[in-house]
Amino acid sequence: MISILGCGWYGMALGKALAQDGENVKGSTTSNARFDAITAAGIIPYLLTLSAEELITNDDFFACNTLIVSIPPRMRSGETDYTAKIQQLIKAIIKQGVQQVIYISSTGVYPDGNSDLNENDHPAPQSQSNTTLFEAEELFRKQTNFKTAIIRFGGLVGPGRNPGRFFAGKTNVPNGQAPVNLIHLQDCVALTKSILNQEAFGYTFNACSPHHPQKAQFYTQATLHAGLEAPSFNDELLEWKTVSSINVPAVLHYEYAINNWDDCFAGNCF
């Protein structure tokens, strides 16, 4: 039994894939209006409210072998109590006896420090949102009552998140030579399933496609592929990073389905 806290774009796709594999999957939402869509994906829906003061849901939601936590901080919406919410969640996890947790984080915890980065490099977040994510990682990492795996996804793209819309029609976009750090939804789901299947807990996994084309090249191609107006980029290299992984190949022996973005565009995977 697997429970997914946060049936958003990734959580819904993961739950649907796991259900199709024959897993019993529970999924949380903050709105009854999403129950039908979650049920249609083969996921058992639960209403869940998480605040800094309390977590409200049916205790049966936590009756699972593994809990997947996919609720990023929403700083743009004015959220300021994310860390306190995670502390409430951890209390519930311990109380309900969940033994395994996968926490979804981001490669944004690494700075744009003009270097190649892997899991051996210490994060130095440059925004409040990413600082909050790293604080949450640390809260999960120090727990001894359950095992945790942390996935740091790169920028998320795939069906419903066509990268062509990000810069369509924009001009003088800075840092055109900077490499991109992205991952396709197909690999988000498959890599998570690999962790579950191998019970690879106790690790942090950077999750990015190994192909890092320049921003100008990638997003120009993406807009044209989507039939949108191409952007123009400044031909410059300012702050940048490339994110790779030691643990994905060494621990999971995982090979990316989308390992070349040119092939992805040719195969219409958006």
Side-chain angles (χ1 to χ4, degrees):
M1 182 67 73
I2 297 169
S3 292
I4 301 174
L5 201 165
C7 286
W9 183 73
Y10 156 77
M12 186 78 109
L14 174 64
K16 183 177 181 179
L18 291 170
Q20 289 174 343
D21 289 344
E23 294 280 358
N24 292 316
V25 185
K26 305 172 186 179
S28 78
T29 177
T30 59
S31 171
N32 285 313
R34 300 203 63 232
F35 268 40
D36 288 347
I38 293 172
T39 301
I43 305 167
I44 305 167
Y46 286 79
L47 197 65
L48 186 146
T49 301
L50 176 60
S51 70
E53 292 74 32
E54 61 182 350
L55 187 155
I56 303 172
T57 191
N58 187 321
D59 286 349
D60 187 57
F61 175 74
F62 288 100
C64 59
N65 300 320
T66 303
L67 174 69
I68 297 167
V69 180
S70 180
I71 48 168
R74 302 186 183 279
M75 298 302 180
R76 292 180 182 177
S77 301
E79 183 178 52
T80 59
D81 57 355
Y82 182 82
T83 301
K85 289 180 179 179
I86 294 299
Q87 290 171 331
Q88 285 294 336
L89 172 60
I90 289 173
K91 288 180 183 178
I93 290 170
I94 294 171
K95 179 181 178 181
Q96 300 298 332
V98 178
Q99 295 299 301
Q100 298 177 159
V101 173
I102 295 177
Y103 177 68
I104 304 303
S105 185
S106 166
T107 56
V109 299
Y110 295 112
D112 291 329
N114 305 337
S115 61
D116 301 314
L117 299 161
N118 59 51
E119 295 94 345
N120 288 337
D121 294 296
H122 190 73
Q126 295 173 308
S127 71
Q128 184 57 53
S129 178
N130 288 318
T131 297
T132 301
L133 269 177
F134 184 59
E135 289 173 352
E137 281 188 20
E138 293 288 84
L139 287 173
F140 279 106
R141 194 176 283 113
K142 72 179 184 181
Q143 298 303 315
T144 58
N145 292 283
F146 55 84
K147 298 178 181 178
T148 301
I150 294 168
I151 308 177
R152 293 174 177 157
F153 283 138
L156 303 174
V157 297
R161 286 198 178 188
N162 191 312
R165 63 183 173 82
F166 295 152
F167 294 105
K170 295 185 177 181
T171 59
N172 298 317
V173 179
N175 213 14
Q177 294 181 25
V180 300
N181 297 281
L182 302 172
I183 184 170
H184 193 277
L185 179 61
Q186 181 179 343
D187 281 308
C188 291
V189 170
L191 191 145
T192 307
K193 288 170 62 177
S194 183
I195 294 171
L196 291 167
N197 292 337
Q198 299 181 53
E199 296 191 353
F201 293 90
Y203 297 95
T204 296
F205 298 98
N206 290 345
C208 278
S209 168
H211 186 206
H212 302 275
Q214 291 183 357
K215 185 195 294 186
Q217 173 192 343
F218 177 85
Y219 286 106
T220 299
Q221 190 174 6
T223 54
L224 295 175
H225 179 267
L228 301 171
E229 182 182 356
S232 67
F233 289 83
N234 296 339
D235 188 20
E236 61 188 5
L237 180 61
L238 304 175
E239 293 183 336
W240 61 274
K241 68 187 172 208
T242 56
V243 179
S244 61
S245 176
I246 293 173
N247 291 337
V248 168
V251 177
L252 300 179
H253 308 289
Y254 180 80
E255 295 184 7
Y256 284 84
I258 310 299
N259 58 15
N260 186 298
W261 293 110
D262 296 332
D263 294 342
C264 185
F265 288 120
N268 196 27
C269 64
F270 295 109

